[in-house]
């Protein structure tokens, strides 16, 4: 069944993009494919969002269209969302997922997991181009990949394969754009003990490889490995970020995209580098200090102190990205090779401290906890000030990954990252 649907959808995309795959498409097959696509979009709605979104903020669905093909992707400022699939996770969602209400494992207050309020479809139209996605084996069927944030299953319906098609559909409609999709395996920490966690991980891995190497994936995923493309090379495509381990399986080693494996990703790091292409000295520079766990008591319990500690790490990393842009430009002036840039900067503005007595949820960190406790707001308002301030305004800061990307409403964070 799934294979038939994919074949039909492939036909639909092939005809929509004028691909010369050699498969003839009659009007009856494309209308059937269209129906199949509608079904997949409907099934994915709980993580991808209704498509097209009912409304979207700003009009940045094609902001890359005005940039020359020769622009290195690494020279762009790219707004991103952290734990993008959590946008509709609420008590009602939990109640609708039998697995999640299973008393055998306590999935706590949904606010602990929720990092967004607006959908991925809305984010795409608003200019967001990096999505952080966490997948695992469907605990009910064990035949599909579904979305988790830690132990919380985010939808019983939406599968990774279905959502990939939703992204392909969006890209087919916006062929000037490039979308970065980061896939990270949620290993099952805190879930009911699995009969065999190794077998689960292997099954999940095989399903992911299949999804990322399907005929449609080969059309819509940029196929180069461990290089930063020029914009013109990747338009209309997904650039994969692989936050999972390679095995020595040849097929996996052939997967496209940039490999940032968990084994080389230090936990809670304020600033670290992963060299993904040693031969060409290409590295990702990352800030992922998601939990300010090095504050002494009683400061550790203080909301403002947590927000300030996080902001220090964020601001320092953004300044490093801006300084590197100067160095990169100087180095590039001397030589032609690697004109696509050598450094990918990723700054996570997202954080939580939910292990606190009064849990600091992602929402409290991003947006503050009311004007009495946090008169200066949360990370998002402060980040807006920093991006507007001396030394960063109009500079290359790289990928900036946000929680509650479109809040508070009076701050246009996506626009500030883009520098418009
Ligand atoms: C969001 O979650 C609610 C509650 O589970 C559900 O009724 C609604 O359909 C979901 N929205 C989408 C777009 O799936
Ligand atoms: C778990 O699965 C792995 C891989 O499939 C297998 O090699 C191993 O023997 C299994 N362990 C148990 C306890 O069944
Ligand atoms: C690799 O790049 C980094 C930063 O861009 C630079 O500091 C370093 O000297 C380079 N190493 C080599 C061997 O070129
Ligand atoms: C919390 O920390 C902030 C700044 O770090 C400080 O100004 C404030 O007085 C602290 N609040 C309490 C209740 O200790
Ligand atoms: C945030 O505010 C709410 C109510 O205003 C309060 O119950 C909660 O404890 C506060 N959380 C923190 C971490 O201060």
């Amino acid at each position: 069944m799934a294979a038939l649907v994919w074949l039909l959808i492939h036909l639909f995309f092939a005809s929509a993009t004028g691909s010369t795959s050699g498969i003839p498409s009659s009007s009856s097959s494309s209308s059937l494919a269209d129906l199949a696509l509608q079904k997949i979009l409907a099934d994915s709605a709980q993580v991808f969002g209704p498509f097209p979104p009912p409304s979207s903020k700003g009009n940045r669905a094609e902001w890359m269209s005005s940039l020359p093909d020769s622009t290195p992707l690494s020279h762009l400022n790219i707004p991103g969302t952290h734990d993008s699939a959590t946008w509709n996770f609420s008590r009602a969602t939990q109640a609708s997922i039998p697995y999640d209400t299973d008393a055998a494992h306590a999935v706590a207050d949904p606010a602990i997991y929720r990092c967004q309020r607006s959908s991925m479809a809305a984010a795409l139209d608003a200019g967001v181009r990096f999505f952080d996605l966490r997948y695992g084996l469907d605990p009910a069927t064990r035949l599909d990949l579904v979305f988790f944030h830690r132990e919380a299953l985010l939808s019983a319906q939406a599968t990774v394969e279905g959502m990939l098609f939703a992204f392909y559909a969006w890209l087919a409609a916006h062929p000037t754009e490039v979308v970065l999709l980061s896939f990270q395996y949620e290993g099952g920490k805190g879930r009911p003990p699995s009969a065999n966690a190794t077998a689960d991980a292997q099954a999940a891995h095989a399903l992911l490889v299949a999804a990322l190497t399907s005929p449609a994936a080969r059309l819509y995923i940029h196929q180069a490995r461990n290089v930063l493309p020029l914009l013109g090379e990747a338009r209309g495509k997904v650039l994969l970020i692989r936050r999972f381990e390679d095995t020595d399986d040849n097929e996996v080693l052939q997967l496209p995209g940039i490999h940032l494996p968990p084994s080389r990703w230090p936990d809670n790091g304020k600033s670290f580098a992963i060299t993904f292409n040693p031969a060409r000295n290409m590295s990702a520079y990352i800030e992922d200090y998601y939990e300010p766990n090095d504050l002494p008591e009683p400061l550790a319990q203080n909301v403002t102190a947590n927000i300030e500690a996080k902001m220090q790490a964020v601001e320092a990393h953004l300044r490093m990205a801006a300084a590197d842009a100067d160095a990169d430009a100087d180095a590039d002036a001397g030589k032609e090779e690697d004109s696509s840039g050598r450094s990918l900067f990723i700054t996570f503005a997202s954080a939580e401290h939910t292990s606190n007595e009064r849990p600091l949820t992602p929402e409290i960190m991003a947006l503050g906890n009311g004007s009495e406790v946090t008169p200066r707001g949360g990370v998002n308002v402060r980040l807006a000030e920093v991006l507007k301030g001396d030394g960063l305004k109009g500079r290359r800061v790289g990928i900036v990954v946000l929680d509650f990307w479109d809040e508070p409403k009076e701050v246009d964070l996506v626009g500030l990252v883009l520098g418009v």
Side-chain angles (χ1 to χ4, degrees), residues 46-122:
Q46 201 161 25
V47 295
F48 186 71
F51 182 80
S55 71
S56 59
K57 187 174 169 175
N59 185 16
R60 304 202 180 105
E62 300 198 336
W63 64 265
M64 291 174 170
S65 64
S66 62
L67 302 170
D69 279 355
S70 59
T71 310
L73 207 71
S74 61
H75 288 194
L76 296 181
N77 287 349
I78 298 182
T81 59
H82 161 257
D83 264 300
S84 318
T86 60
W87 69 277
N88 196 35
F89 194 62
S90 64
R91 288 272 181 225
T93 312
Q94 277 181 318
S96 72
I97 302 174
Y99 169 82
D100 247 0
T101 51
D102 181 353
H105 82 296
V107 169
D109 184 348
I112 286 181
Y113 307 97
R114 187 165 180 158
C115 302
Q116 309 294 342
R117 230 183 312 268
S118 293
S119 76
M120 291 195 249

Side-chain angles (χ1 to χ4, degrees), residues 328-342:
D328 224 26
D330 289 349
D332 284 349
K335 48 182 174 178
E336 284 295 298
E337 82 264 29
D338 291 340
S339 57
S340 60
R342 288 178 306 278

